[in-house]
């Protein structure tokens, strides 16, 4: 039965694949990675990296190697009864979660279940050649299975206090290309995963959908990576040329720097992954996406000459492309652009709130 199931999965994978990715670069592979190597050699490159066998000794990985039921039993012992959110789509969607053609909604339903019944239902689909698509993504581990945290540690991130740990569980499926604000280490527990990655500058060639009405929180590409419509999305050819692919097996992990765009495929009938998100930088930082929203009120629509002038201002005062723009002033004379203090942060927030309140 297992051999027959694997054969069907390989056949389906080959049927779905296209030749356009054959020449894509492969993400570099690192072995026996320790914290020092990660911090001094991998992170500074600002590029994705496959961390081969990083979590092969995790209890979840070992249980999954025994059977899907063994992993289910381990997760059941660790989980509480809080319902998780998951996506469900009919067989004809074939795991490609996305928008309806007219953008009036999505091609899946959002549902809730306790973790164990969801796993039982997922395992029951494993022998089905055209199953209902099931996907529980971003399951918050501290909230739903806190016992996993102490038994599935990641020494590479020792000392990183602000982190988000999540589970991703489902059958064969595809998550559209999207970006995440934090850095990410994605650890494969069971089932093969394929990541197709792009540097941030390729966003212009990926035909991103609505920024504020999203499939799962992050804006995502509208292009079908298995059958791209190059007449509708001609610049996607440039994205393909810049793509890098990572093929992961159980026990492998992938490091992704902030804002690298990634398309994720779960290639087998049962897949599970746990990831760690974190950000470097001051704790007061929030997502720059809010800056983009504010720019709708302040920048977009300006005459071209004014917009170009403001680009110069941002490059100088915010991105500091010419060095410290206030090096000629003592800190006490820099106003809100001085060193970050609770008082100055409060002033910035108060001033922004005043500008966003309705005018009388």
């Amino acid at each position: 039965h297992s051999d027959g199931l694997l054969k069907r999965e390989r056949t389906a994978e080959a049927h779905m694949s296209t030749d356009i990715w054959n020449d894509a670069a492969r993400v570099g592979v690192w072995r026996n990675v320790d914290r020092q190597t990660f911090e001094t050699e991998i992170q500074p490159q600002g590029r994705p990296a496959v961390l081969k066998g990083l979590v092969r000794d995790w209890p979840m990985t070992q249980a999954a190697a025994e059977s899907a039921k063994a992993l289910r039993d381990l997760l059941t012992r660790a989980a509480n009864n809080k319902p998780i959110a998951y996506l469900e789509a009919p067989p004809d969607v074939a795991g490609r979660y996305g928008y309806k053609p007219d953008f009036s909604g999505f091609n899946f339903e959002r549902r809730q279940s306790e973790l164990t019944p969801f796993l039982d239902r997922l395992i029951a689909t494993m022998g089905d050649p055209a199953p209902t698509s099931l996907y529980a993504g971003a399951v918050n581990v501290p909230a739903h299975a806190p016992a996993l945290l102490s038994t599935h540690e990641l020494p590479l991130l020792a000392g990183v206090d602000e982190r988000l740990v999540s589970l991703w569980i489902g059958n064969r499926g595809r998550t559209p290309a999207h970006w995440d604000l934090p850095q990410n280490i994605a650890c494969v527990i069971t089932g093969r995963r394929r990541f197709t990655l792009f540097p941030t500058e390729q966003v212009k060639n990926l035909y991103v959908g609505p920024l504020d009405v999203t499939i799962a929180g992050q804006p995502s590409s509208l292009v079908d990576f298995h059958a791209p419509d190059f007449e509708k999305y001609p610049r996607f050819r440039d994205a393909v040329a810049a793509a890098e692919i990572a093929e992961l097996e159980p026990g492998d992990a992938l490091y992704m720097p902030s804002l690298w765009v990634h398309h994720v495929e779960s290639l087998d009938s049962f897949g599970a992954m746990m990831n760690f998100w974190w950000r470097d930088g001051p704790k007061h930082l929030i997502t720059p996406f809010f800056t983009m929203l504010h720019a709708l009120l302040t920048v977009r629509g300006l005459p071209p000459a004014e917009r170009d002038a403001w680009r110069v201002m941002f490059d100088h005062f915010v991105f500091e492309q010419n060095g410290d723009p206030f090096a000629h002033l003592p800190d006490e004379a820099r106003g809100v652009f001085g060193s970050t203090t609770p008082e100055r942060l409060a002033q910035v927030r108060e001033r922004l709130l005043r500008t966003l309140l309705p005018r009388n």
Side-chain angles (χ1 to χ4, degrees):
H1 173 76
S2 298
D3 291 343
L5 178 60
L6 181 60
K7 184 177 180 180
R8 288 197 298 274
E9 289 173 345
R10 302 279 188 183
T11 300
E13 178 189 347
H15 175 71
M16 290 190 296
S17 65
T18 65
D19 293 336
I20 63 170
W21 306 107
N22 288 349
D23 296 328
R26 262 42 186 181
V27 173
V29 177
W30 296 71
R31 302 177 187 275
N32 303 315
V33 175
D34 57 19
R35 183 179 175 186
Q36 181 178 3
T37 301
F38 179 68
E39 291 182 345
T40 63
E41 299 184 41
I42 295 176
Q43 268 190 301
Q45 293 186 19
R47 301 185 56 76
V50 173
L51 312 177
K52 193 68 178 175
L54 184 72
V55 297
R56 59 177 169 241
D57 295 328
W58 269 4
M60 279 194 293
T61 313
Q62 294 292 310
E66 180 182 337
S67 68
K69 185 178 182 301
L71 176 59
R72 175 260 190 207
D73 291 344
L74 186 154
L75 289 172
T76 295
R77 291 191 297 271
N80 52 38
N81 59 2
K82 293 180 180 179
I84 64 169
Y86 70 95
L87 310 183
E88 179 174 337
D92 62 318
V93 169
R96 184 177 177 246
Y97 302 97
Y99 297 95
K100 291 180 178 179
D102 62 356
F103 294 95
S104 62
F106 302 100
N107 65 359
F108 56 84
E109 299 292 333
R110 301 184 194 274
R111 305 191 186 281
Q112 289 192 331
S113 167
E114 292 183 16
L115 182 57
T116 299
F118 173 79
L119 291 169
D120 288 337
R121 189 177 175 203
L122 184 61
I123 290 172
T125 71
M126 290 179 65
D128 190 339
T132 296
S133 295
L134 300 170
Y135 183 50
V139 176
N140 185 288
V141 172
H144 296 279
L148 295 178
L149 295 174
S150 60
T151 55
H152 295 79
E153 297 179 341
L154 201 62
L156 301 189
L157 299 183
V160 177
D161 296 327
E162 298 288 331
R163 66 173 91 174
L164 176 62
V165 185
S166 303
L167 282 169
W168 310 77
I169 306 171
N171 48 18
R172 190 181 299 109
R174 292 184 274 161
T175 303
H178 63 283
W179 63 83
D180 295 312
L181 174 61
Q183 299 181 75
N184 186 1
I185 295 181
C187 306
V188 177
I189 297 162
T190 189
R192 296 165 299 140
R193 281 286 207 283
R194 177 187 295 127
F195 285 74
T196 306
L197 301 109
F198 307 87
T200 311
E201 59 265 23
Q202 287 301 315
V203 70
K204 64 182 181 293
N205 297 320
L206 290 169
Y207 297 90
V208 174
L211 297 187
D212 57 340
V213 181
T214 63
I215 296 169
Q218 291 300 106
S220 56
S221 171
L222 301 177
V223 182
D224 183 347
F225 277 38
H226 286 178
D229 184 341
F230 288 116
E231 290 189 6
K232 190 173 183 180
Y233 307 119
R235 294 194 311 275
F236 187 64
R237 291 188 185 277
D238 294 328
V240 172
E244 300 182 26
I245 292 178
E247 305 272 1
L248 304 181
E249 297 178 344
D252 295 343
L254 176 66
Y255 167 64
M256 288 179 283
S258 172
L259 297 182
W260 269 71
V261 183
H262 48 287
H263 175 276
V264 190
E265 299 178 66
S266 181
L267 300 175
D268 295 321
S269 57
F270 185 93
M273 186 173 70
M274 188 157 83
N275 84 306
F276 297 75
W277 275 316
W278 79 101
R279 294 187 70 189
D280 293 331
K283 291 185 178 181
H284 70 266
L285 291 178
I286 56 178
T287 172
F289 182 70
F290 294 147
T291 308
M292 293 177 63
L293 292 179
H294 200 197
L296 297 179
L297 303 177
T298 60
V299 177
R300 193 173 74 169
L302 285 176
E306 288 186 39
R307 190 172 62 234
D308 290 344
W310 276 107
R311 183 181 291 113
V312 172
M313 294 288 194
F314 273 82
D315 285 344
H316 181 65
F317 289 108
V318 178
F319 296 104
E320 299 185 348
Q321 289 191 352
N322 306 305
D324 183 353
F326 297 104
H328 56 287
L329 291 176
D331 186 67
E332 61 271 17
R334 297 184 181 195
V336 295
F337 281 85
S339 57
T340 302
T341 64
E343 294 75 21
R344 280 175 170 156
L345 288 175
Q347 291 175 23
V348 172
R349 293 190 183 101
E350 182 181 356
R351 188 164 185 173
L352 286 174
L353 284 172
R354 285 202 308 267
T355 68
L356 294 173
L357 290 175
R359 298 179 180 178
N360 293 328

